[in-house]
Amino acid sequence: MKIKHYLMVALMLCMGMVACDGLEDENVEPTPKVFKAHFNLAGEISFEQEPLTRFTPDTCDLYAIQVYYKPVSGGSYDYYAYGLFDDVSNISLDLIENHYYKFEFVLVDDAKEKIYCDSVLVDNKNYYGYGAPFTAINKYNASKNESITKVTNEFEYSSDKYFTKLGLIQKTDGLVYGRTTGVSAYYAEVDGFCPTAEGEVISVYFKKMACGLRVVAGDFLTEGTLSMTCRDEIKNSKYQIQLTPENKEVEAEFALLWYASDWYKATTASECRGVQETISDIVWTKADGTTYKYDNIKVYYKRMTMTTVNIAFYDDDTLEGVSFDVKYEEDADLEEGNTYTHGDEQGDYVW
């Protein structure tokens, strides 16, 4: 494995260099130096929830690390190396001088229990491999370039093997989601690192890619059920919500990696790119079968914010005795948010 690794690094060193017959030795460019670098991984506290606890890694967690590089003279990033790890205590990476490097990290807590896993055939041996966000072009099987990825705890240096679904999550049921409940995911990014010496340490800081939705029914819900469907904008996830007089509130925190890079760079929630979700098929069905239908509403999620949707029902003579008032607040921390009103105009209803 080490021989193959050094051959790959040597090949990368030769990329972009022009060789011509008859050149004198003094005209040949010297071989660039290769420096070994290490990572120092750190992370956020678990985000304004009680109790305040710090994420504690263990061997059930999985880390995807994607590395890109480009010459300091210019150009765009190309794939350099990738790897899937369950032990990050002593990660090292060989880097070529006079190149800029970009690193992407995706960490899923308890991934071995929550992410899709299956057997994968590599070099005529069966291994366990994991699905998105760890799916990769890895050429394990000649008939299918993209595959689940096995844990190696080392980098593979390649310009044509790389992770393909770092923005999605494939749970144990095999379904791929954009927004996923029951999973905690973290993201980190380092850009523009240029190695200059042996043994440099690259500091990496993880941020949790989390947001939440709370739906609350008003005092009107004394009978029947209030149901609705939530679907995210990338059409990879939908789920049903049903409220009753005994259970008027539903709250869920979920992982979302779709805009991880944008969310990671934002310093406040207001700077985060909003992820849109449509809440549709909102119907209050009374005990006698009478139904009242709300129009669809759109809500937006941002990192570490709880979007709250308050649903109310009240009498209003201007709408033949029936009116709907849907309020939601967003762009807040996990406790509070701004309030918006949906349902104060006739166009907000389905008749």
Side-chain angles (χ1 to χ4, degrees):
M1 180 61 72
K2 287 187 177 180
I3 293 175
K4 183 178 179 182
H5 154 53
Y6 287 118
L7 288 174
M8 190 64 212
V9 173
L11 178 62
M12 288 181 167
L13 288 172
C14 295
M15 292 176 62
M17 302 177 68
V18 178
C20 299
D21 291 338
L23 286 177
E24 299 295 332
D25 289 344
E26 59 268 21
N27 294 328
V28 177
E29 295 183 12
T31 302
K33 295 179 180 178
V34 177
F35 300 116
K36 189 175 292 294
H38 301 271
F39 297 101
N40 178 29
L41 307 184
E44 287 184 335
I45 289 177
S46 188
F47 323 118
E48 300 183 15
Q49 299 178 11
E50 295 294 335
L52 291 176
T53 58
R54 185 176 295 277
F55 167 75
T56 302
D58 56 48
T59 56
C60 196
D61 311 323
L62 291 177
Y63 301 74
I65 307 178
Q66 180 70 60
V67 187
Y68 311 83
Y69 78 139
K70 64 181 178 180
V72 296
S73 57
S76 57
Y77 278 117
D78 193 8
Y79 296 109
Y80 178 76
Y82 84 108
L84 183 59
F85 302 79
D86 63 3
D87 181 2
V88 293
S89 59
N90 191 30
I91 300 178
S92 63
L93 179 66
D94 290 329
L95 303 178
I96 306 167
E97 70 171 343
N98 297 323
H99 284 76
Y100 288 118
Y101 288 85
K102 176 181 176 180
F103 307 88
E104 278 189 293
F105 303 78
V106 172
L107 158 62
V108 177
D109 186 18
D110 293 333
K112 292 182 180 179
E113 297 177 353
K114 297 180 179 180
I115 298 300
Y116 175 76
C117 177
D118 204 345
S119 62
V120 58
L121 187 65
V122 183
D123 297 331
N124 295 319
K125 293 182 179 180
N126 278 312
Y127 298 88
Y128 281 118
Y130 295 88
F134 311 120
T135 306
I137 298 291
N138 46 38
K139 302 182 180 179
Y140 289 161
N141 187 328
S143 65
K144 187 177 181 181
N145 287 335
E146 186 178 66
S147 173
I148 56 181
T149 302
K150 69 185 181 78
V151 178
T152 61
N153 283 322
E154 62 182 19
F155 285 101
E156 180 165 355
Y157 297 81
S158 176
S159 60
D160 60 0
K161 297 180 182 180
Y162 50 87
F163 290 111
T164 56
K165 291 185 173 62
L166 291 181
L168 298 173
I169 294 175
Q170 186 175 15
K171 293 183 70 174
T172 52
D173 57 11
L175 298 177
V176 179
Y177 300 100
R179 183 251 302 113
T180 311
T181 57
V183 174
S184 292
Y186 298 74
Y187 179 85
E189 187 176 303
V190 177
D191 196 358
F193 178 80
C194 185
T196 58
E198 180 73 12
E200 288 183 286
V201 176
I202 303 169
S203 295
V204 181
Y205 191 84
F206 283 93
K207 293 184 179 181
K208 191 176 184 181
M209 296 293 112
C211 48
L213 175 66
R214 180 189 298 116
V215 181
V216 183
D219 293 337
F220 74 92
L221 189 59
T222 59
E223 61 173 305
T225 60
L226 180 66
S227 61
M228 62 202 73
T229 300
C230 302
R231 182 190 300 272
D232 67 28
E233 64 177 358
I234 45 181
K235 305 282 188 284
N236 282 321
S237 179
K238 71 175 183 178
Y239 62 97
Q240 308 293 322
I241 291 178
Q242 182 169 283
L243 303 177
T244 65
E246 296 75 30
N247 184 19
K248 294 184 178 182
E249 179 175 332
V250 171
E251 179 177 311
E253 180 183 311
F254 41 81
L256 201 154
L257 290 166
W258 190 250
Y259 296 134
S261 182
D262 289 342
W263 283 14
Y264 186 80
K265 295 171 184 175
T267 57
T268 64
S270 61
E271 296 176 3
C272 289
R273 179 176 180 177
V275 178
Q276 178 177 295
E277 179 164 86
T278 299
I279 302 181
S280 61
D281 304 321
I282 310 170
V283 179
W284 177 27
T285 303
K286 299 183 72 174
D288 62 3
T290 303
T291 59
Y292 300 96
K293 298 181 179 180
Y294 294 72
D295 196 5
N296 296 347
I297 60 175
K298 296 184 183 299
V299 297
Y300 293 85
Y301 303 117
K302 296 179 181 179
R303 193 181 85 85
M304 296 317 301
T305 67
M306 178 67 74
T307 297
T308 301
V309 179
N310 296 309
I311 301 181
F313 177 89
Y314 57 87
D315 292 333
D316 188 338
D317 293 338
T318 63
L319 289 177
E320 300 178 357
V322 178
S323 182
F324 301 88
D325 180 34
V326 179
K327 303 175 182 179
Y328 73 93
E329 48 195 13
E330 57 130 4
D331 192 21
D333 58 25
L334 290 181
E335 288 77 30
E336 299 177 1
N338 300 321
T339 301
Y340 300 84
T341 300
H342 176 83
D344 56 354
E345 296 181 0
Q346 189 168 0
D348 293 336
Y349 312 105
V350 177
W351 300 96

